[in-house]
Amino acid sequence: MMSSDDTMMLHTPFHSRVAAACEINCWGDWKGYTTPNAYSDVELEYFAIRSTTGVFDLSPMNKYRISGPDAEAYLNRLVTRDVSKIKVGRVGYTVWCDEQGQVLDDGTIFRLDENDFRLCAWARGLDWLLCSALGFDVSIEDETAQVAALAVQGPTSCANLLNMGLTGLDQLKPFGMMSFDFAGLPLMVSRTGFTGDLGYELWIEPAGAEPLWDALFKSTDYNLIKPIGTDALDLARIEAGFIQAGVDFVPALNAVRAGRSRSPFELGLGWLVDFNKPVFNGRRALLEEQQAGSRYRFAVLDVEGNKPAHNSFIFHGKRVIGTVTSAAWCPTAKTNIAFAQLEAPFGQVGERYTAEIYFQRELHWTRELAPCRVLDKVPFNPERRRLTPPAPF
């Protein structure tokens, strides 16, 4: 007989603590795992990220261990950036493409040792990784279930982790890693995150998950540290200008209709494409695109008013030139931000367009035509995310 808690959904190693903290019982599905959309109030969780510390269960992130004599050569063939420039103990953001130069996914590469890497990705891609390994002396393992992870983000995040006894963490630079012993288990801490703020990600064996959660929340007054759900994280990442696979672009292997996938250039990620390194997946197609021009341009828009332009059409005069993929009124930046895919050559910095916004109040739909402007940079990029050591809080 099944109990009310029996489910086909997977639970992360932190689930007992997460479930106890989820006051409003608001749950979502992240790649088959039960994860909270919100614990109590989305705005309070968001402000924990920006004012104190927010803690996010990162465990469902797909994690692949790539090791062996050809590990670096294999990854250099797979992704668009030069992996040889990622030194041991460092993390690099990257994308990988199919042979047509269309993005399969974006993610982070952790260089754990000379021939030992961890690739973190949104989409499940083990089949693609294995197929791409033909001819390389490399081992690829899906270690998603073997690694529990927490994102600890916000201006007091370093102080709280120091209070836990992680001595020396304040000297860790952005995109660096450090190893610690925690309760007899190896704990890896990286200065990475998806909020655009000072923050860290903690990686440990599942057996250490609950003690790690408990120690973290005992590191400071409970009012100064809060668990955060996917809704608050989404608001923070939009404010910081971070795109999300499955939201801001369709991974190429998931695209059913022609023309729905995007290249790195069309996502504003051309800086990740290194044509000076040896051959990599999609290189020829991306070279041709660089010479001929892209079909679309990624743009960050400042939209007039405070109504988020969710799924809006963008107009130039009477012509539809693109659509909004992510949108939010961002409290810290005090800006109504939208990410848009615009037809080239539209999307130049400073150009002005119109967003067609629909919103509902008390079952009444309102249509608003809001002026918007292409920004040259995202409005939230605090110095504290780069300071080493972080400012004391």
Side-chain angles (χ1 to χ4, degrees):
M1 179 177 178
M2 294 182 67
S3 72
S4 60
D5 289 333
D6 288 333
T7 174
M8 293 180 67
M9 298 291 290
L10 299 171
H11 289 166
T12 77
F14 298 102
H15 184 75
S16 64
R17 303 304 192 261
V18 167
C22 191
E23 300 175 15
I24 60 176
N25 202 30
C26 181
W27 298 91
D29 172 8
W30 182 6
K31 294 299 179 183
Y33 283 86
T34 299
T35 56
N37 294 325
Y39 286 83
S40 57
D41 180 272
V42 174
E43 289 190 1
L44 290 178
E45 293 170 29
Y46 161 82
F47 279 111
I49 301 170
R50 294 293 184 242
S51 303
T52 54
T53 297
V55 180
F56 181 77
D57 184 357
L58 194 64
S59 302
M61 174 71 70
N62 290 295
K63 300 174 282 287
Y64 301 101
R65 192 66 168 266
I66 300 169
S67 57
D70 292 342
E72 180 187 294
Y74 162 74
L75 283 169
N76 239 354
R77 176 69 169 81
L78 182 79
V79 306
T80 61
R81 71 175 294 168
D82 190 347
V83 177
S84 69
K85 295 180 180 179
I86 303 174
K87 303 305 180 184
V88 174
R90 301 290 296 169
V91 186
Y93 174 58
T94 190
V95 296
W96 47 104
C97 301
D98 62 14
E99 285 304 311
Q100 288 70 49
Q102 301 298 287
V103 174
L104 294 165
D105 202 358
D106 67 335
T108 46
I109 295 176
F110 294 71
R111 190 159 199 163
L112 308 175
D113 208 337
E114 196 63 34
N115 297 309
D116 191 11
F117 299 82
R118 175 179 293 150
L119 176 65
C120 291
W122 176 84
R124 288 200 174 100
L126 184 59
D127 289 347
W128 180 265
L129 296 178
L130 291 173
C131 289
S132 300
L134 184 65
F136 290 97
D137 186 359
V138 66
S139 171
I140 302 171
E141 176 190 0
D142 184 344
E143 60 175 12
T144 302
Q146 284 73 54
V147 180
L150 289 178
V152 183
Q153 305 284 303
T156 64
S157 56
C158 184
N160 291 339
L161 293 170
L162 290 173
N163 289 342
M164 281 177 54
L166 304 186
T167 305
L169 188 67
D170 55 334
Q171 300 304 312
L172 184 64
K173 295 181 179 180
F175 292 97
M177 295 182 284
M178 291 183 72
S179 296
F180 299 90
D181 178 89
F182 176 82
L185 294 172
L187 169 67
M188 188 182 80
V189 180
S190 57
R191 190 167 168 181
T192 50
F194 202 46
T195 64
D197 217 311
L198 173 66
Y200 303 83
E201 292 174 337
L202 282 55
W203 313 82
I204 198 168
E205 296 174 20
E210 292 175 349
L212 181 62
W213 179 284
D214 295 342
L216 183 57
F217 279 86
K218 289 177 182 176
S219 67
T220 187
D221 187 293
Y222 184 78
N223 292 322
L224 299 179
I225 184 170
K226 292 186 182 297
I228 63 170
T230 53
D231 290 346
L233 182 69
D234 194 53
L235 180 55
R237 67 97 184 166
I238 293 172
E239 187 172 47
F242 295 155
I243 64 172
Q244 172 69 60
V247 177
D248 298 301
F249 67 93
V250 180
L253 288 180
N254 297 347
V256 176
R257 297 167 180 82
R260 299 298 170 89
S261 60
R262 296 289 183 265
S263 75
F265 297 118
E266 293 170 337
L267 294 175
L269 300 177
W271 59 277
L272 287 172
V273 180
D274 188 346
F275 289 120
N276 294 319
K277 72 167 190 171
V279 65
F280 57 89
N281 289 354
R283 187 178 191 276
R284 179 179 299 175
L286 291 173
L287 270 174
E288 292 175 355
E289 179 182 345
Q290 186 185 56
Q291 295 167 1
S294 302
R295 304 166 300 166
Y296 299 95
R297 178 177 282 120
F298 173 80
V300 179
L301 303 177
D302 180 1
V303 184
E304 187 174 294
N306 62 1
K307 300 295 186 296
H310 296 301
N311 306 310
S312 295
F313 286 115
I314 302 299
F315 285 84
H316 176 66
K318 295 183 178 180
R319 176 183 170 184
V320 175
I321 61 169
T323 55
V324 169
T325 56
S326 289
W329 164 255
C330 298
T332 303
K334 300 294 188 292
T335 306
N336 194 13
I337 295 176
F339 298 167
Q341 284 284 314
L342 304 179
E343 297 175 7
F346 298 103
Q348 299 286 350
V349 171
E351 290 182 344
R352 296 179 179 273
Y353 308 114
T354 302
E356 183 181 43
I357 302 173
Y358 290 85
F359 60 94
Q360 187 189 66
R361 294 291 183 271
E362 297 180 333
L363 302 181
H364 178 78
W365 281 98
T366 299
R367 175 177 181 260
E368 184 173 305
L369 297 177
C372 53
R373 175 176 56 90
V374 180
L375 298 176
D376 62 340
K377 58 185 178 181
V378 294
F380 183 79
N381 187 17
E383 182 64 23
R384 65 180 179 236
R385 72 185 280 192
R386 292 176 291 276
L387 283 178
T388 305
F393 285 93

